[in-house]
Amino acid sequence: MFITFINYKEKDMKHSILSYSLLFIFSLAVAGPVFAQENDQDTTSENSVCQDSTDQEQVEFHWFHKKHHKNMHYEFWDYGFGGFKNGGPFMQVNYGRSENKINSLLGSMDKTGYAQVKLGHEYQKPVSKKSSVLKYNSHYAEFAIDNADLWKNNTVGNLDAESVMFGIGWDKGYGYAAGSSAFLFTTGNGFGWTRLRINNAILHNSDVNKLAYFDDTFRFGIKSESSIKMQFIPALSVDVSYERAQVYQRVLFWKMGASLITEAACQGLLDEFIGKVLKSSPTAAPILNFVLKSGLSYGIYELRKDAMNFPFGGEDPLMKATYKIGMTFNF
């Protein structure tokens, strides 16, 4: 499970809070002499001054609230939640080929066909008013199956495996606008529950215990995904994707959490770098972000195929690699 951080424009907030704190302290410092002279002042004048002060404070408060609410609104959306002002719902259907593998398994599993449905919300906006570079975010719920009926590939001696998965995920990335069309390069993550089922006899006795963790039971897992989205018209796009999923034998919370935090920190460093590239060379950012983020995710999942909580140890998990093509319908 990935930990999501929400940026509330902390620097601006700190400056504003400091300013209001100093203003409040100054008000207290002068309040004593002012209140001591109130009995000598005209009641009408006092009410007028108080009313003017209250009106001014209300104006300042509403400006402060509006400014920071707007900032938090967009930053909140940038991490995959809320902010549906310029977005819209979508449905995506995918079909492809999947491979299930446990690295230390003596036997092999047949490759299977793969079908997936995603329902979610996506959002894209120009990074600036004068740029054709787009920023993209989405989040979704998904359901997927893979089995031999979707892709005939039976090999004598291989295990006939199939699986069912459901979960949630999110994608982020950049792309290019071209009139009403767009070409987007995204990477994403997600988590869910997967049930593996073996339909024929297990040939190697040593594999029985390894498969027992997964066979016919739902197990928690995580995934990463890299996609190229070709949006020819606003309502329809064609997607080509590669997905890598890792299903845990069992969840060791602290080790798993430490492993995911390590990955998130690496992703955060890349985000900082891409942010600088976006300011200096905006047109290079979409491709560079896609290549670096995809490479990082692939490398981490390769390291985890022998130790599911790398670099904090663990046994080898069930790994699922899927190539797929699909269509997205935007509403």
Side-chain angles (χ1 to χ4, degrees):
M1 184 182 299
F2 283 82
I3 298 177
T4 307
F5 292 94
I6 304 175
N7 180 358
Y8 286 99
K9 293 288 183 182
E10 293 181 0
K11 185 176 180 181
D12 293 338
M13 288 290 287
K14 287 179 180 178
H15 288 170
S16 299
I17 293 171
L18 179 60
S19 300
Y20 279 93
S21 299
L22 292 175
L23 180 60
F24 179 70
I25 294 171
F26 177 78
S27 300
L28 290 179
V30 300
V34 171
F35 291 149
Q37 297 175 11
E38 280 184 354
N39 292 332
D40 298 330
Q41 294 178 351
D42 181 72
T43 304
T44 305
S45 177
E46 176 188 352
N47 293 339
S48 177
V49 171
C50 290
Q51 184 64 41
D52 292 342
S53 176
T54 301
D55 292 343
Q56 180 64 24
E57 288 176 359
Q58 288 179 347
V59 170
E60 291 179 355
F61 174 78
H62 288 308
W63 172 85
F64 173 83
H65 181 268
K66 182 178 180 180
K67 176 178 182 291
H68 290 283
H69 176 75
K70 181 179 179 181
N71 289 337
M72 290 191 297
H73 172 81
Y74 286 113
E75 291 299 319
F76 198 47
W77 165 254
D78 286 345
Y79 285 88
F81 301 91
F84 299 157
K85 183 177 179 181
N86 296 317
F90 73 88
M91 179 179 72
Q92 184 181 102
V93 291
N94 291 300
Y95 175 77
R97 190 175 187 182
S98 185
E99 179 181 5
N100 298 306
K101 185 177 181 181
I102 300 174
N103 206 40
S104 62
L105 202 68
L106 296 179
S108 298
M109 301 183 197
D110 274 330
K111 293 180 174 64
T112 58
Y114 179 89
Q116 180 188 47
V117 176
K118 294 181 180 181
L119 298 174
H121 203 105
E122 65 177 14
Y123 173 81
Q124 55 183 277
K125 65 175 182 179
V127 296
S128 67
K129 293 182 179 179
K130 298 180 180 180
S131 177
S132 62
V133 175
L134 300 172
K135 186 174 185 178
Y136 176 88
N137 286 278
S138 74
H139 60 277
Y140 56 85
E142 64 175 325
F143 177 79
I145 60 172
D146 65 270
N147 57 54
D149 293 334
L150 297 172
W151 188 297
K152 297 294 184 181
N153 187 47
N154 296 330
T155 302
V156 176
N158 281 2
L159 297 173
D160 178 15
E162 63 181 33
S163 67
V164 174
M165 192 278 287
F166 64 92
I168 63 174
W170 52 92
D171 294 318
K172 294 174 62 178
Y174 300 92
Y176 305 98
S180 60
S181 302
F183 296 89
L184 301 163
F185 303 87
T186 69
T187 58
N189 301 98
F191 62 88
W193 287 262
T194 300
R195 185 193 68 189
L196 180 72
R197 179 172 290 171
I198 306 298
N199 294 323
N200 59 348
I202 300 172
L203 301 179
H204 302 277
N205 291 331
S206 60
D207 291 344
V208 173
N209 292 333
K210 295 174 184 176
L211 289 170
Y213 285 108
F214 307 103
D215 191 19
D216 209 20
T217 183
F218 280 98
R219 293 292 179 182
F220 179 77
I222 59 176
K223 73 165 190 173
S224 68
E225 185 172 359
S226 299
S227 302
I228 299 176
K229 183 183 292 288
M230 295 162 283
Q231 188 174 349
F232 299 110
I233 59 175
L236 179 66
S237 62
V238 176
D239 308 273
V240 179
S241 308
Y242 174 70
E243 180 182 302
R244 198 81 180 272
Q246 165 192 343
V247 183
Y248 291 90
Q249 293 185 7
R250 56 185 181 274
V251 174
L252 303 175
F253 180 79
W254 295 112
K255 289 186 176 182
M256 181 190 73
S259 177
L260 296 181
I261 289 173
T262 301
E263 180 183 359
C266 294
Q267 295 281 2
L269 292 174
L270 283 183
D271 283 333
E272 289 292 325
F273 176 72
I274 296 300
K276 296 182 184 301
V277 173
L278 194 63
K279 292 180 180 179
S280 60
S281 303
T283 55
I287 301 296
L288 189 61
N289 178 75
F290 180 77
V291 172
L292 292 179
K293 289 282 188 74
S294 298
L296 176 63
S297 295
Y298 183 84
I300 288 175
Y301 275 67
E302 278 295 299
L303 293 170
R304 285 177 177 162
K305 70 181 182 181
D306 293 314
M308 61 186 183
N309 294 316
F310 179 87
F312 302 99
E315 300 177 11
D316 45 347
L318 170 66
M319 302 296 294
K320 299 175 65 67
T322 306
Y323 297 91
K324 54 188 177 180
I325 185 170
M327 299 183 69
T328 300
F329 303 92
N330 299 294
F331 304 102

